[in-house]
Amino acid sequence: MTGAEGKGGIPGLAGRVAIVTGAGGGIGGAVAARLVAAGAAVVAVDRDGARLPPTSAALVSLMADVATVAGCAAAVDLALGRLGGLHVLVNAAGGSGRRSGDGPVHACTDEGWDTVLDGNLRAVFRMCRAALPAMVRAGGGAIVNVASVLGLVGGGELFATHAYAASKAGVVGLSRAMATYYAPAGVRVNVLCPGLTDTPVAARALADPPTAAHVARMQPLLGGPASPDQVAAAAEFLASDRASAITGAVLPVDGGWTAQ
Ligand SMILES: NC(=O)c1ccc[n+]([C@@H]2O[C@H](COP(=O)([O-])OP(=O)(O)OC[C@H]3O[C@@H](n4cnc5c(N)ncnc54)[C@H](O)[C@@H]3O)[C@@H](O)[C@H]2O)c1
């Protein structure tokens, strides 16, 4: 048993350096907290500086937009320059584009499509592109990309944001392609597909009684939303050495949504 495991931690994270994007948000924040508790040093990235956790001994906060090349480079530079390496990347930044014009295809605007694909898919591509050379040089690493159940199955009328669905399905495809290509270099790439999770981005859905009732039906194990920590626990597992033989996996954390 390693020291980290003895303290209730998980092997293979103590002493590792991780970048967590969207770390000011519900899921990214919970992931960053779990990785710090497991003994990792974390670069916590969010474009909304006010939501970021404060810098501490084990966590460096960085206000940056990971949809940009410069934002991704700044995160990697901080990991390598200040924390001395890069072993884990969790891409949790992302969000809904409803306000920018996402919707069902016939009503989705070009702006909505571009905004969502940029923020949810291009950002993951750019962050992985920035991080991979250091992981390959180091002989391996673990990437966990946060997609969604809506990247796996249709959302019907209540979750009719089709650019969002396409962006998350794109994350799944990109991750599987990277998993096979970078496996010989020791880099694992896995995907989490959360169902509805109790974070600010889900507030609109949960405040609408018919949608909340639908979520309770779709997630029968939970009878409602997942907690951010339930998603973070799965991210921690996939980032750790406990998942050392796992790559290209697409893991729903959805209380049974996609089993129906
Ligand atoms: N909450 C849910 O029900 C749910 C379900 C499935 C998938 N997801 C996915 O989980 C991920 C995390 O979402 P959440 O629920 O924690 O939402 P959240 O709004 O609490 O957190 C998202 C965070 O990402 C940040 N962010 C967004 N774009 C960014 C960018 N380009 N650069 C830097 N930071 C950026 C936001 O500022 C925010 O703090 C997202 O990718 C989301 O699509 C969420």
Side-chain angles (χ1 to χ4, degrees):
M1 184 183 281
T2 66
E5 204 177 0
K7 283 180 270 167
I10 187 161
L13 287 171
R16 300 273 167 90
V17 177
I19 294 173
V20 179
T21 76
I27 292 173
V31 172
R34 271 190 171 262
L35 295 184
V36 166
V42 173
V43 178
V45 191
D46 206 291
R47 67 180 171 198
D48 184 344
R51 297 181 72 181
L52 275 168
T55 291
S56 63
L59 182 145
V60 182
S61 282
L62 171 69
M63 188 171 88
D65 182 347
V66 294
T68 67
V69 170
C72 296
V76 172
D77 288 350
L78 205 48
L80 296 177
R82 188 144 150 201
L83 301 178
L86 178 55
H87 311 101
V88 170
L89 167 63
V90 180
N91 282 307
S96 155
R98 206 174 273 274
R99 261 177 280 148
S100 57
D102 194 3
V105 161
H106 73 274
C108 179
T109 63
D110 282 343
E111 189 204 343
W113 179 268
D114 290 345
T115 304
V116 172
L117 270 289
D118 268 3
N120 286 357
L121 182 56
R122 194 202 296 268
V124 171
F125 151 66
R126 284 186 163 159
M127 199 58 246
C128 290
R129 183 175 62 182
L132 274 162
M135 291 184 172
V136 170
R137 268 197 313 275
I143 297 175
V144 181
N145 291 327
V146 181
S148 167
V149 291
L150 297 177
L152 300 176
V153 295
E157 273 184 38
L158 290 173
F159 291 95
T161 44
H162 293 170
Y164 183 85
S167 73
K168 295 302 190 180
V171 168
V172 171
L174 173 66
S175 302
R176 284 185 166 139
M178 288 193 296
T180 58
Y181 185 87
Y182 294 103
V187 180
R188 299 184 297 103
V189 186
N190 291 294
V191 187
L192 288 183
C193 290
L196 201 84
T197 306
D198 195 4
T199 73
V201 95
R204 178 205 60 84
L206 293 172
D208 175 50
T211 309
H214 176 71
V215 168
R217 275 195 307 276
M218 294 304 285
Q219 304 193 157
L221 180 67
L222 306 170
S227 74
D229 190 59
Q230 286 176 312
V231 179
E236 180 185 24
F237 165 68
L238 289 173
S240 79
D241 287 354
R242 284 222 171 119
S244 59
I246 301 177
T247 196
V250 178
L251 180 64
V253 186
D254 66 357
W257 186 307
T258 53
Q260 300 178 60

